[in-house]
Amino acid sequence: MTLEIEQFMCRSDNFGILAHDTETGETALIDAPEEQPILAAVERTGWTPTMIMTTHHHQDHVAANLALKKRFGLTIVGPAAEADRIPGIDRTVKEEDTVRVGQQAARVIETPGHTAGHVSYHFPDAGIAFTADTLFALGCGRLFEGTPADMLRSLKKIAVLPLETVIYCGHEYTQANARFALSVDPTNSALKERAKVVDTLRQEGKPTLPTTLKQEMATNPFLRWHDPVIRRNLGMEDASDEAVFAEIRKRKDVA
């Protein structure tokens, strides 16, 4: 059994995702940023979506919900904490609930911080996680509705997934994130090498995603609050994890 992924661009920098169970043919969308690119992906793949797995309520993730529901009669799943802000929602989910796409089961992980009710979806058998605007490649989401403590708890939940987990995120922000990451972790050789690869991919018009948790743990400063080199660079050797994370996030907000 395989979960096949079609990743494509929507809007200016959103990623659209079709997740297709090869055993049953059932297909889910991860969020619905924009109708026309989604319809093009459906036509290209021949995969008709039966569900939208919504991560959070922001307009650039739910804009096409109602149009796609009307067209395909699909079911819209989303976080219970944001149900009143997700157009067309049919089913609410919370921590440790299961969402099935054919034979593939996703575990719901509550990952607030970017929004108050953001969720991520982890398919353990497929080794894939959809983290939307909680964890980005080399970054994390802005704290629009949550606190640094909220986001840190959420990232710690993601950080304990198997290192080989393939991570799909909500936006193509990696190049800017890499520049910032180097400002707080400039001697990290893995990060420097990765930044070069990212620059090449973007010059060629190619996406920088998916990533892996192993790669993020080695290079993403928002998962490296414990690293003594970063702490020394920040002048926060003895600070709490939350204080270090909050300082990194604060610096990124004004970068």
Side-chain angles (χ1 to χ4, degrees):
M1 296 183 295
T2 303
L3 191 67
E4 196 170 347
I5 305 299
E6 177 77 6
Q7 175 182 262
F8 51 94
M9 295 307 301
C10 295
R11 303 170 76 93
S12 60
D13 55 33
N14 282 74
F15 281 108
I17 296 285
L18 285 169
H20 177 75
D21 174 41
T22 57
E23 183 77 9
T24 65
E26 189 168 335
T27 302
L29 280 158
I30 313 300
D31 291 329
E34 186 181 8
E35 183 182 12
Q36 288 308 313
I38 291 170
L39 294 180
V42 169
E43 183 173 355
R44 182 169 62 250
T45 60
W47 304 340
T48 301
T50 57
M51 182 193 318
I52 300 173
M53 298 170 66
T54 307
T55 61
H56 65 293
H57 69 82
H58 281 166
Q59 178 66 10
D60 62 326
H61 290 257
V62 301
N65 276 21
L66 296 181
L68 295 171
K69 187 172 186 176
K70 182 177 180 181
R71 179 180 290 269
F72 297 113
L74 45 70
T75 299
I76 298 177
V77 176
E82 297 184 3
D84 60 340
R85 304 174 77 179
I86 297 172
I89 192 166
D90 298 295
R91 176 190 167 192
T92 62
V93 292
K94 59 187 185 305
E95 183 84 3
E96 297 297 338
D97 281 350
T98 298
V99 180
R100 299 197 72 88
V101 181
Q103 297 298 310
Q104 299 285 337
R107 179 172 66 97
V108 177
I109 307 172
E110 291 181 350
T111 52
H114 180 66
T115 65
H118 194 296
V119 299
S120 300
Y121 298 97
H122 175 223
F123 287 84
D125 291 344
I128 294 172
F130 299 99
T131 61
D133 291 9
T134 295
L135 178 68
F136 292 129
L138 293 173
C140 77
R142 284 182 178 267
L143 306 181
F144 289 119
E145 297 176 11
T147 65
D150 293 331
M151 183 62 93
L152 180 60
R153 282 192 295 270
S154 296
L155 292 173
K156 284 184 174 181
K157 291 181 183 180
I158 294 170
V160 298
L161 297 178
L163 286 176
E164 63 271 18
T165 302
V166 177
I167 305 285
Y168 289 88
C169 315
H171 292 270
E172 180 58 86
Y173 290 163
T174 316
Q175 193 168 36
N177 287 345
R179 287 194 293 268
F180 170 75
L182 286 166
S183 75
V184 295
D185 195 14
T187 60
N188 184 331
S189 58
L191 173 58
K192 289 191 282 188
E193 183 59 34
R194 187 176 179 194
K196 292 177 185 177
V197 172
V198 167
D199 285 342
T200 299
L201 288 171
R202 297 312 293 150
Q203 288 168 6
E204 296 173 352
K206 296 177 181 177
T208 62
L209 292 173
T211 180
T212 64
L213 184 57
K214 182 177 182 179
Q215 190 172 39
E216 295 308 310
M217 294 296 288
T219 57
N220 186 334
F222 293 99
L223 292 177
R224 292 168 56 75
W225 54 81
H226 56 280
D227 184 83
V229 175
I230 290 179
R231 285 170 168 263
R232 187 165 59 249
N233 291 341
L234 298 175
M236 301 179 73
E237 290 94 328
D238 299 319
S240 67
D241 289 352
E242 182 183 335
V244 173
F245 173 80
E247 178 63 21
I248 297 170
R249 184 62 256 178
K250 180 176 147 187
R251 292 187 183 207
K252 178 65 171 69
D253 287 344
V254 298

